[in-house]
Amino acid sequence: MTTQRSTWILKVQCQEDQHFVPDEERRKHWAELFEQLDLNKDGRIDMLELQAGLAHKGLSNGCLQKIVETGDTNQDGVLDFEEFVEYLHNHEKQLQVMFHHVDRNKDGWIDVEEIQDCLHTIGVNVSPEDATRILLSMDKDGTMTINWSEWRDYFLFKHLNDMEDVARFWKRSMILDTGEQLTVPEEFSEAQKKSGYMWRQLMAGVMAGSVSRTGTAPLDRLKVFRQVHGSSEFRGSALSGFKYMLNEGGPWSLWRGNGVNVLKIAPETAIKFSTYEQIKSVMRGHDETRTLRVHERFVAGSLAGATAQTVIYPMEVLKTRLSLRKTGQFKGIADCAKQILQREGAAAFYKGYVPNMLSIVPYAGIDLAVYETLKLAWLNRNTGLSDPGVMVLLGCGAVSSTCGMLASYPLALIRTRMQAQASVKGSPKLSMLSLLRNIVTQEGIAGLYRGISPNLLKIVPAVSVSYVVYEYMRIMLGMDFEGRREGKGHG
């Protein structure tokens, strides 16, 4: 089968080589592109000029470096005009082969079904909704199909070798950790699971989350203080809150509770993704190749998130207690766990569990829905651009996380207060509904949003730091944006 496919591709490529001769207009367009990218007008394009000229396309440095390496025939580290034109000529030839591969009925147009069929043949199953989003990101004339010109312009500066690279580019996503619940897990093909790519991707996400949470830990601790003590002695501005913590425990006290907050990322991620795969398998039943619909993936993701939260929830309680502790109260994570077990019993490790579970659905659902809506709206308004780019996606991620957090925040506040009940002297041990009634009665509706300001303040830095670390981790792990390890071939 592989031999037949390779022979077919070679045959098509030979046919394309015979008639793929760019016309004068195309060569003129290449010359204009070179002129635009050659910022210092020295007749050569280097990496810095590519980064500046193509910044709006959101391409990774690895992708741009490959463009230079592939086109740089004289190995001087830059592209002169002839090398630039030759690269685009060869690349467009390759893109035309890929276009004909996707255009199964050879009518010169690619539709939603052909996108699904193409990705299915290489082990990537996408729903009609996802395939439509892919199509809309490339369809400039509103025909709900992709012609050769749209295909070529979209992938002109994407360094792609085969259809697997196209699939990986389409499904490329960012794991952004804002310190709250992660949303529906990412989809991986069977090939990516077997190659180990999936776990490298997850490792990059775990490291990004660790650095992001550590960087915003002081704001997170301030949030916990205001949630628990907001109506009593811990009032005032964020500055007065930081001053209180510094006076009580010194600079390092700002990071209390961060250790366990970072430690729980890895097990939570591993449990969530493993459970997600199992739930998807059950949902598919006997038809293992069936593509799950959007609502099915959301249900599977929510159940997987609930399972992961159930397993690691004692660490959530420890994080809250350690964040609220005074100097000398606990010797560390183990001592905190030991004291809770001795004084309150094992049930204390699941205080606030119900409101925590109830908050997963509104947070994940609204986060995912707003992110996809914003991204799709941008693509519809900017049909002339190939992809949103880094800043747009970061903006969508920040806004969607904020919306999800606003919707679920009252439940998160009640959860935190229930987790902290035994550590606050004289506080009555109230149920979820009693606590809700007390807060509304004594503090009003605004009381349900105590501590939200530091939480809002940490969204943008958390998303930004998470993205930067995530990209650097991908490079360190030998992964570029196509999801391919450096030097690794695919037969």
Side-chain angles (χ1 to χ4, degrees):
M1 182 65 185
T2 304
T3 305
Q4 289 177 345
R5 181 171 175 266
S6 301
T7 305
W8 179 83
I9 291 176
L10 287 171
K11 182 179 178 183
V12 172
Q13 190 148 16
C14 289
Q15 291 171 351
E16 296 301 333
D17 287 344
Q18 291 173 4
H19 75 265
F20 186 85
V21 179
D23 55 24
E24 196 60 36
E25 185 179 345
R26 196 68 197 146
R27 289 185 178 278
K28 183 181 177 182
H29 178 67
W30 292 343
E32 290 172 353
L33 281 175
F34 185 86
E35 185 73 17
Q36 291 171 12
L37 293 172
D38 182 18
L39 301 179
N40 60 8
K41 307 305 177 188
D42 65 349
R44 300 182 303 175
I45 299 173
D46 59 22
M47 267 290 291
L48 291 177
E49 288 173 317
L50 278 180
Q51 287 172 341
L54 301 176
H56 65 285
K57 293 185 176 292
L59 302 176
S60 69
N61 287 337
C63 174
L64 299 177
Q65 187 64 48
K66 282 194 171 184
I67 291 175
V68 175
E69 290 174 358
T70 305
D72 183 22
T73 54
N74 61 8
Q75 303 297 308
D76 62 353
V78 294
L79 298 176
D80 57 34
F81 180 72
E82 288 75 18
E83 290 172 331
F84 181 75
V85 168
E86 185 63 20
Y87 170 79
L88 289 181
H89 180 215
N90 293 333
H91 188 50
E92 287 192 11
K93 261 197 311 191
Q94 196 172 26
L95 289 176
Q96 198 168 60
V97 173
M98 295 179 189
F99 180 82
H100 284 290
H101 178 59
V102 182
D103 182 21
R104 296 296 175 89
N105 60 9
K106 308 305 175 192
D107 64 351
W109 306 86
I110 295 173
D111 57 27
V112 169
E113 287 185 5
E114 286 173 324
I115 290 175
Q116 282 185 284
D117 291 342
C118 172
L119 297 183
H120 180 71
T121 60
I122 57 175
V124 179
N125 294 317
V126 297
S127 65
E129 293 88 352
D130 288 336
T132 300
R133 290 192 187 101
I134 290 170
L135 185 144
L136 287 172
S137 70
M138 303 173 68
D139 176 26
K140 296 179 182 178
D141 56 13
T143 59
M144 290 302 291
T145 56
I146 303 166
N147 60 28
W148 157 240
S149 296
E150 291 168 334
W151 175 275
R152 176 197 63 205
D153 293 345
Y154 185 87
F155 287 118
L156 187 60
F157 288 104
K158 278 55 169 199
H159 187 85
L160 308 171
N161 295 308
D162 51 35
M163 286 310 302
E164 285 192 42
D165 286 351
V166 173
R168 290 191 182 104
F169 183 84
W170 274 337
K171 73 182 284 292
R172 176 191 177 205
S173 64
M174 297 182 302
I175 300 178
L176 303 177
D177 190 342
T178 62
E180 306 297 326
Q181 299 105 322
L182 295 176
T183 54
V184 178
E186 188 182 358
E187 298 283 335
F188 293 100
S189 69
E190 289 303 317
Q192 289 173 330
K193 294 172 191 172
K194 291 175 182 177
S195 69
Y197 166 78
M198 179 182 77
W199 293 108
R200 291 196 300 276
Q201 179 92 328
L202 296 183
M203 190 185 300
V206 167
M207 288 303 299
S210 301
V211 176
S212 172
R213 293 186 185 194
T214 300
T216 58
L219 285 168
D220 192 66
R221 187 176 185 226
L222 179 63
K223 175 199 74 176
V224 173
F225 261 102
R226 292 176 75 87
Q227 284 179 330
V228 176
H229 301 292
S231 61
S232 54
E233 73 270 17
F234 203 79
R235 287 179 176 272
S237 64
L239 189 61
S240 65
F242 283 126
K243 193 180 295 182
Y244 170 86
M245 290 188 285
L246 287 170
N247 290 337
E248 193 279 325
W252 289 112
S253 68
L254 298 177
W255 277 267
R256 283 178 185 167
N258 182 61
V260 70
N261 197 32
V262 168
L263 282 175
K264 69 186 177 71
I265 298 175
E268 182 177 11
T269 302
I271 294 167
K272 179 180 290 185
F273 277 85
S274 301
T275 308
Y276 183 59
E277 291 299 320
Q278 293 298 318
I279 294 171
K280 283 199 304 179
S281 179
V282 172
M283 284 183 165
R284 288 193 180 110
H286 298 295
D287 185 4
E288 295 181 1
T289 60
R290 182 173 74 85
T291 302
L292 294 184
R293 297 173 182 174
V294 174
H295 71 276
E296 289 177 315
R297 282 191 307 158
F298 174 69
V299 170
S302 296
L303 289 173
T307 303
Q309 279 285 304
T310 300
V311 175
I312 62 96
Y313 193 76
M315 298 180 80
E316 293 277 2
V317 175
L318 287 172
K319 178 231 171 188
T320 299
R321 296 292 180 92
L322 288 167
S323 295
L324 294 168
R325 76 182 174 95
K326 295 188 181 296
T327 302
Q329 186 176 354
F330 302 119
K331 296 176 183 177
I333 297 173
D335 183 54
C336 179
K338 181 181 176 183
Q339 288 194 37
I340 293 173
L341 189 62
Q342 288 176 343
R343 296 174 183 176
E344 305 171 52
F349 289 107
Y350 281 89
K351 285 184 176 179
Y353 175 78
V354 174
N356 185 66
M357 289 297 104
L358 292 175
S359 70
I360 288 178
V361 173
Y363 182 91
I366 292 172
D367 187 4
L368 185 67
V370 172
Y371 181 82
E372 291 297 331
T373 301
L374 289 174
K375 189 171 70 172
L376 189 58
W378 190 95
L379 292 170
N380 288 336
R381 287 173 58 89
N382 298 271
T383 53
L385 297 176
S386 59
D387 55 71
V390 172
M391 295 311 296
V392 173
L393 291 177
L394 283 177
C396 291
V399 172
S400 63
S401 294
T402 302
C403 292
M405 183 263 292
L406 287 171
S408 62
Y409 193 82
L411 286 167
L413 180 137
I414 291 170
R415 173 202 67 196
T416 305
R417 288 203 181 180
M418 292 181 74
Q419 289 172 342
Q421 278 180 348
S423 66
V424 180
K425 289 183 179 180
S427 63
K429 305 303 179 283
L430 302 173
S431 66
M432 181 180 75
L433 293 176
S434 299
L435 196 54
L436 176 63
R437 195 181 302 112
N438 263 18
I439 293 171
V440 174
T441 302
Q442 296 174 14
E443 306 173 49
I445 298 297
L448 295 173
Y449 287 88
R450 293 280 183 191
I452 198 168
S453 53
N455 218 36
L456 289 172
L457 286 173
K458 77 173 186 173
I459 289 289
V460 172
V463 169
S464 303
V465 171
S466 182
Y467 175 76
V468 171
V469 176
Y470 177 65
E471 287 298 312
Y472 274 105
M473 281 302 301
R474 287 171 65 86
I475 294 170
M476 289 176 64
L477 293 170
M479 303 157 64
D480 56 25
F481 79 94
E482 295 95 356
R484 176 190 296 272
R485 292 200 74 169
E486 293 292 336
K488 179 181 177 185
H490 291 269

